[in-house]
Amino acid sequence: MSEAGIIAAVLWLALTAYAVLAGADFGGGVWDLFASGPRAREQRQAVATAMGPVWEANHVWLIFMITGLFTAFPSAFGVLSLDLYVPFTIALVGIVLRGAAFAFRAHGREAVGGASTWGVAFGTASIIAPFFLATGIGAVAVGLTSSSWAAPYSFLIGCFAVSMCAYLAATYLMVETEATPLESDFRQKAAIAGVVAGVLAVICLGLAPLAAPNLAHALLGRGLPLALLALINGLVALAAVSRSRPRIARVAVAGQVVLVLWAWAVGQWPSLIPPTVTIDAAAAPSSTLDALLVVIGVGMLALIPSLAILFRVFKARNPAAID
Amino acid sequence: MDNLTLARATMGTSLGFHIVFAVLGVGLPLLMLVAEGLWLRTKDEVWLDLARRWAKAFGILFAVGAVSGTALSFELGLLWPRFMAFSGAIFGLPFSAEGFAFFIEAIFLGLYLYGWNRLSPVAHWLSAIPVAVSGALSSVFVVMANAWMNTPTGFRLASDGHLVDVDPLAAALNPSTPTEDPHMLVSAYVVTGFLVAAVYAAGLLRRRDDLLHRRGLTLGMAMAASAIVLSGITGDTSARFIYQAQPAKFAALEGIYTTTRCAPVSVGGIPVDSQHHVVGAIEIPCLLSLLAAFDPNAEVRGLETFPPDDRPNAVLVHLSYDSMVGFGLTLGLLAALFWALFIYARRIPLRRPLLWALVAAGPASVIAMESGWFVTEFGRQPWIVYGILRTSEAATTAPALGLTFVIFFAIYIGLAITTARLLLLQARRNRTAA
Ligand code: HDD
Ligand code: HEM
Ligand code: HEM
C-alpha cells in the first residue's frame, strides 16, 4: 500500500470511529425526542448520563477526519467542500445546535427528563446532523456533482444513517440500563430501529445498481465478502435484540456499521471520489504525508491510553445505576 | 453582497465568536488547577469551592467552544475551498496536531467534570493538567497556521503554478510563529484573568464580601497582571517583526502613507486616503521609527509605495491597533495599581471605584484581544496567503452565502445570550447552595 493509501485507511478508521461513537450519541438524541411510555423521563436521563462525559471526545473524530483530509488530500477536500456546500452547512447547523442544546439543557433551569425546548432542539438537531452528513456520502455514492447530494438515493442513505444511529444508541442504552426496567424500553426501541434500518438497507442495496453505480460496483466487487458478512451479522444483531442479549447486540450493531463502511471502502479502493479521483492522484506531496504520519503516530500514543482511561472510568459499570 | 464579502463576514464572525470561548479554554483550566492544588495543600474548602464553580462554568463554555470550533473547521473548506486546496498540504499539519490536543482536552475534561466522585482527590487534580496543557497547545498549533498565512514559507511555486519542495515543518515554524504564538498565548491568560476578576469584583460591589470573592478576585488579578506584562513585551516584538516582514500591514498600523524617516505614532484619528494623512490624531514624532528599529531616523515604508490593489484598509487597521494598544496599556496600569495598593496596604484593595474599573476591565480585555485579531486579519488583506494568494481568488462560488451568514449570525447571538443566562443562573444557584 502506498503512503497515501495508509493515510486514507487511517482517515476511514477515524470516520468509522466517528460513526460508531458519535453515531450512538446522535441516536441518543433521537431517543430523547422519541422518549415514550411511563418511563419517558428516565429514558431521557439515561441518554444524558451515558452521553455526558463522552460526547465531546467522540465528536473530535470528525475534526480529526476533516483536518486529516485537507492535509493529506487537499484537492479532494476542495472539490468536496464546493459540491457539498449545502448539505454540510446544514449538517453543521445541526452539529452546533445539538452540542449546544445538550449542554444548555444539562445546565438549565429544569432537571433533565421532562419535555423541554432545549430537549426538542437537541433531538431534532441529532437527526439533522447525521442525515445531511450522510447525504454527502450518498452524493459520492451516486457520483459527485453539486446537486447529487439532493438525489433521492442520497436521501435514502441519509435515512439509513439516522436509523443506524438510533439502532446503535438503543443497543448501547440496553447495556447501560441492563437489569433495570429501562432495558426492555430500549430493547423495544432497538427492535424498531433495527427493523427500519434493515428494510432501508435492503432498499438501498436493491436500488444501488440503478441509482448508485459507484456503490453497487464497490459492494459487488471487492467489497462483496464484507457485504455478505454484514448481511449475516445484521441477522445476528436482530436476534440478539429480540432475545435480550444486550452485550451481543451492542457489539453486533457496532460491527454492522464497521462492516458496511469497510465493504464500501474496500470495494472502491483505490478510488477516493469515484470514478475519476484516486487516492494517489489526490495526495499531498510525500513530505506532507511523512510528517502527517509522524503526527498521527505521536498523537495516537497520547490518545489511546487517554481514551482507555476515559472509558474505564465511565463505562466500567452501569453508570445509570450509579448517578 | 458578493460572495467574497459574505464569506469574509461569516468567517470573521465565527472566529470572533469562537476566540472568546477559546481563550477561556486556555486560561480557565490553569486557574482551576491552581485553585484545586491550593485546596489539596491547605485543605481550605474555599479553594475547592472556587475550582468547582469554575469547572461548572467551564462545562458550558467548553461545549460552546467545541461546537463553534467545529463550525470553523468546516468553514475553512466551505467558504475558502481554493485556499484549502492550495494550502492544505502545507499548513494542515498544525491543524492535525491540534486535533489531538482537542482529543486530550475533551477526554480529560470529561474526567474532570464528571469525575469528582469517581477519582481520588489527587487523581482528580492531576486530570486538570492535561486539560490546561492541551488547551494551551491548541492555541499554539492553530496560531501557527495563522502565522503561516502571514509569512508563508515551506514551499516553492514551480513556473506552472504547482507546489514543489513542500516542507510542512518549516511552514509550521514560519517566521511569524515565534512572535504571534507567544503573544496570542499570553493574551489568552490576560483575558481569562480579567474576566474572572471582573466577576468577583462585581460580586464584591454587591456587598458579597467573603473569602470566596476575595480569593477569586486575587487569583484572577494574579493571572491578569503577570500575563499583561508579557503581552506588552510580546506585542512589541510582534510589531517590530511585521516592520520587516509585512510592511503594508505595518504602514497601516499608524497610517503612514509616504515613506518617511522619523515616522510618528498617531494616537487616535482617522487615516484619510485622499489626504495621505491621519486626520485628528495626536502625533508623537519619531516614536514609530524608534519603536520599530530603536532608531528615531529609521525609514518606514509608506502605503503609497504599494499598488492600490495591494493595500489593506488603513482605517480599520489603525483604529483596531489603537484600540488594542490603548486598552492594553490601560489594563496594564490598572493591574499595576491593584497590586501596588495590595502590597502597600497588605490587604486586598476594595475601594468601589477600583472595583468598578475592574468590572469594566473584563470586557475591555476581550475588546483588546478582538482588536488585535482585526489588526492581524484586516492588515493581511487583500491576501489570504500573504503575497501568494488573494482572498478574492479563494472564496467559494457556492450559492446562497447570504443565507448562511444570516443563519450563523443568528445562531451565535442565540448561543451568546443563552450562555450568559445560564452562567448567571449558575451563579445564583451557587449562592443559594452556599
Ligand atoms: C488582551 C489582549 C492584547 C493586548 C493587551 C495586546 N495585544 Fe497585541 N494582539 C492580541 C492581543 C493583545 C491578539 C491576541 O488579538 C493578537 C492577534 C494575533 C496575535 O497573535 O495576537 C494581537 C496582535 C498584535 C499585532 C499583530 C501581529 C501580526 O499581525 O503578526 C501587533 C503588532 C500587536 N498585537 C502589538 C501589541 C502591542 C504593541 C501591545 C502593547 C500594549 C499589544 N499588542 C497588546
Ligand atoms: C488562528 C487562527 C485563525 C486562522 C487560521 C484564521 C484564518 C482566517 C481566514 C482563512 C480568513 C479568510 C480570508 C481572509 O479574509 O484573509 C480570515 C478572515 C478573518 N478573520 Fe481570521 N483566522 C484566525 C483567527 C482569527 C480570530 C481569532 C479572529 C477574531 C476576531 C479573526 C478575525 C477575522 C476577520 C475579521 C476576518 C475577515 C477579514 C476581512 O474581511 O478582511 N481571525 N481568517
Ligand atoms: C487563535 C485562535 C484560536 C485559539 C486560541 C483556539 C483555541 C481553542 C481551544 C482552547 C479550544 C478548546 C475548546 C474550548 O475550551 O472552548 C478550541 C476548540 C476548537 N477549535 Fe479553536 N482556537 C482558535 C481558532 C480556531 C480555528 C481557526 C479553528 C478552525 C479551523 C478552530 C477549531 C477548533 C475546533 C474544531 C474546536 C473543538 C474541539 C473539540 O471538539 O473539543 N479553532 N479552540
Side-chain angles (χ1 to χ4, degrees):
Chain A
M1 211 192 301
S2 66
E3 201 178 15
I6 295 174
I7 290 181
V10 170
L11 293 181
W12 201 253
L13 270 176
L15 182 72
T16 312
Y18 182 67
V20 170
L21 298 167
D25 294 338
F26 286 129
V30 175
W31 295 126
D32 185 291
L33 196 61
F34 294 116
S36 58
R39 285 178 296 271
R41 170 172 291 270
E42 287 77 13
Q43 289 168 13
R44 292 202 182 93
Q45 280 161 350
V47 170
T49 313
M51 272 179 70
V54 293
W55 73 272
E56 281 172 309
N58 291 345
H59 167 81
V60 184
W61 288 108
L62 178 67
I63 318 281
F64 177 77
M65 244 306 269
I66 294 178
T67 56
L69 193 63
F70 70 59
T71 309
F73 305 101
S75 57
F77 182 77
V79 173
L80 289 169
S81 297
L82 258 178
D83 284 345
L84 300 179
Y85 178 84
V86 179
F88 279 4
T89 303
I90 303 175
L92 190 52
V93 172
I95 290 172
V96 170
L97 288 182
R98 192 277 305 238
F102 182 80
F104 288 166
R105 187 181 56 169
H107 295 89
R109 206 170 287 276
E110 276 128 38
V112 176
S116 66
T117 319
W118 286 122
V120 174
F122 166 57
T124 317
S126 298
I127 295 176
I128 292 176
F131 179 85
F132 282 97
L133 285 177
T135 59
I137 294 197
V140 176
V142 172
L144 187 67
T145 66
S146 61
S147 60
S148 59
W149 66 274
Y153 193 81
S154 304
F155 277 63
L156 209 55
I157 300 268
C159 294
F160 173 64
V162 174
S163 67
M164 280 310 288
C165 291
Y167 194 17
L168 269 173
T171 54
Y172 284 23
L173 288 162
M174 279 170 74
V175 177
E176 304 274 310
T177 59
E178 216 173 343
T180 73
L182 284 176
E183 186 192 337
S184 70
D185 291 6
F186 286 118
R187 186 169 68 99
Q188 198 186 1
K189 292 178 193 301
I192 298 172
V195 170
V196 173
V199 171
L200 286 171
V202 171
I203 299 178
C204 284
L205 275 180
L207 291 181
L210 293 173
N214 293 331
L215 184 66
H217 181 76
L219 293 183
L220 295 177
R222 215 172 315 121
L224 193 60
L226 287 173
L228 289 176
L229 215 56
L231 278 180
I232 300 169
N233 180 63
L235 296 175
V236 172
L238 276 176
V241 170
S242 70
R243 302 207 171 167
S244 268
R245 291 283 170 67
R247 278 158 204 277
I248 299 178
R250 174 170 72 171
V251 173
V253 178
Q256 191 70 1
V257 176
V258 176
L259 287 170
V260 169
L261 284 173
W262 283 85
W264 186 24
V266 170
Q268 79 164 45
W269 189 273
S271 247
L272 191 61
I273 307 175
T276 44
V277 183
T278 65
I279 289 172
D280 285 331
S286 65
S287 50
T288 303
L289 301 181
D290 291 341
L292 183 61
L293 274 180
V294 173
V295 167
I296 292 176
V298 174
M300 285 294 168
L301 282 182
L303 174 62
I304 290 169
S306 310
L307 273 178
I309 297 176
L310 180 74
F311 284 99
R312 237 189 118 81
V313 170
F314 290 110
K315 300 280 162 191
R317 267 179 300 149
N318 181 346
I322 296 175
D323 281 342
Chain B
M1 268 190 277
D2 58 337
N3 263 17
L4 174 62
T5 315
L6 287 168
R8 278 176 168 177
T10 311
M11 194 74 200
T13 313
S14 305
L15 284 157
F17 182 81
H18 176 68
I19 191 73
V20 177
F21 297 87
V23 291
L24 290 168
V26 177
L28 266 185
L30 186 58
L31 280 180
M32 299 185 312
L33 186 69
V34 172
E36 199 180 346
L38 286 168
W39 168 67
L40 283 178
R41 271 189 82 136
T42 63
K43 295 288 164 219
D44 182 338
E45 295 287 327
V46 174
W47 292 122
L48 179 63
D49 200 13
L50 274 178
R52 276 178 181 268
R53 288 181 182 206
W54 291 337
K56 262 200 233 155
F58 194 48
I60 303 178
L61 295 167
F62 185 81
V64 181
V67 295
S68 58
T70 308
L72 282 172
S73 21
F74 271 88
E75 280 172 353
L76 279 180
L78 294 176
L79 300 173
W80 315 100
R82 272 170 259 178
F83 163 58
M84 294 311 287
F86 173 81
S87 318
I90 316 169
F91 85 154
L93 206 62
F95 282 109
S96 302
E98 197 199 14
F100 283 103
F102 291 151
F103 260 129
I104 306 293
E105 186 170 8
I107 289 171
F108 284 93
L109 188 67
L111 284 165
Y112 190 84
L113 293 183
Y114 293 85
W116 292 99
N117 302 322
R118 294 180 190 214
L119 299 169
S120 73
V122 172
H124 187 265
W125 178 70
L126 287 176
S127 70
I129 295 178
V131 181
V133 171
S134 49
L137 282 179
S138 333
S139 154
V140 168
F141 287 134
V142 78
V143 176
M144 283 179 174
N146 184 269
W148 178 83
M149 293 161 61
N150 283 327
T151 46
T153 49
F155 67 99
R156 254 180 349 100
L157 282 181
S159 47
D160 62 354
H162 254 77
L163 286 179
V164 285
D165 296 342
V166 172
D167 179 350
L169 198 63
L173 303 177
N174 67 80
S176 285
T177 296
T179 58
E180 224 188 305
D181 258 297
H183 190 48
M184 175 65 230
L185 188 59
V186 296
S187 300
Y189 297 119
V190 170
V191 175
T192 308
F194 277 112
L195 282 178
V196 166
V199 169
Y200 293 100
L204 287 162
L205 275 173
R206 295 190 169 185
R207 316 232 179 259
R208 297 197 187 105
D209 187 357
D210 54 23
L211 263 177
L212 183 102
H213 281 80
R214 288 171 175 232
R215 287 193 186 156
L217 178 61
T218 313
L219 220 51
M221 285 309 289
M223 178 180 264
S226 29
I228 191 101
V229 174
L230 298 173
S231 174
I233 298 172
T234 50
D236 177 56
T237 323
S238 272
R240 249 195 309 284
F241 172 72
I242 61 175
Y243 169 61
Q244 290 158 7
Q246 292 178 274
K249 187 188 269 182
F250 189 79
L253 292 182
E254 297 296 348
I256 305 294
Y257 285 92
T258 323
T259 303
T260 40
R261 295 183 179 282
C262 188
V265 162
S266 301
V267 181
I270 308 242
V272 177
D273 286 356
S274 57
Q275 297 185 21
H276 277 202
H277 185 64
V278 186
V279 175
I282 305 167
E283 277 195 11
I284 308 171
C286 300
L287 185 59
L288 188 61
S289 293
L290 188 65
L291 288 174
F294 300 118
D295 167 9
N297 276 317
E299 185 176 276
V300 174
R301 191 172 157 193
L303 277 174
E304 65 183 15
T305 61
F306 296 89
D309 282 351
D310 289 358
R311 297 177 197 164
N313 181 326
V315 178
L316 288 174
V317 177
H318 174 65
L319 291 181
S320 306
Y321 188 65
D322 271 10
S323 156
M324 167 177 59
V325 176
F327 279 116
L329 293 176
T330 316
L331 291 170
L333 287 176
L334 185 62
L337 180 67
F338 177 89
W339 285 107
L341 291 172
F342 201 128
I343 292 165
Y344 176 73
R346 301 232 179 97
R347 55 187 289 270
I348 185 166
L350 293 178
R351 275 162 241 199
R352 293 184 76 79
L354 180 70
L355 290 179
W356 275 113
L358 290 175
V359 171
S365 69
V366 176
I367 297 175
M369 186 259 307
E370 297 276 1
S371 309
W373 276 106
F374 287 176
V375 172
T376 301
E377 303 292 308
F378 288 134
R380 189 183 58 242
Q381 300 307 317
W383 306 98
I384 191 166
V385 182
Y386 190 65
I388 306 276
L389 184 68
R390 281 175 195 274
T391 314
S392 55
E393 295 165 325
T396 183
T397 49
L401 239 54
L403 189 63
T404 314
F405 174 70
V406 171
I407 292 174
F408 273 97
F409 201 82
I411 290 181
Y412 290 137
I413 292 190
L415 291 183
I417 294 175
T418 315
T419 309
R421 285 183 41 189
L422 288 178
L423 290 176
L424 289 174
L425 176 71
Q426 220 167 58
R428 249 196 324 277
R429 277 195 188 152
N430 286 336
R431 279 200 300 282
T432 44

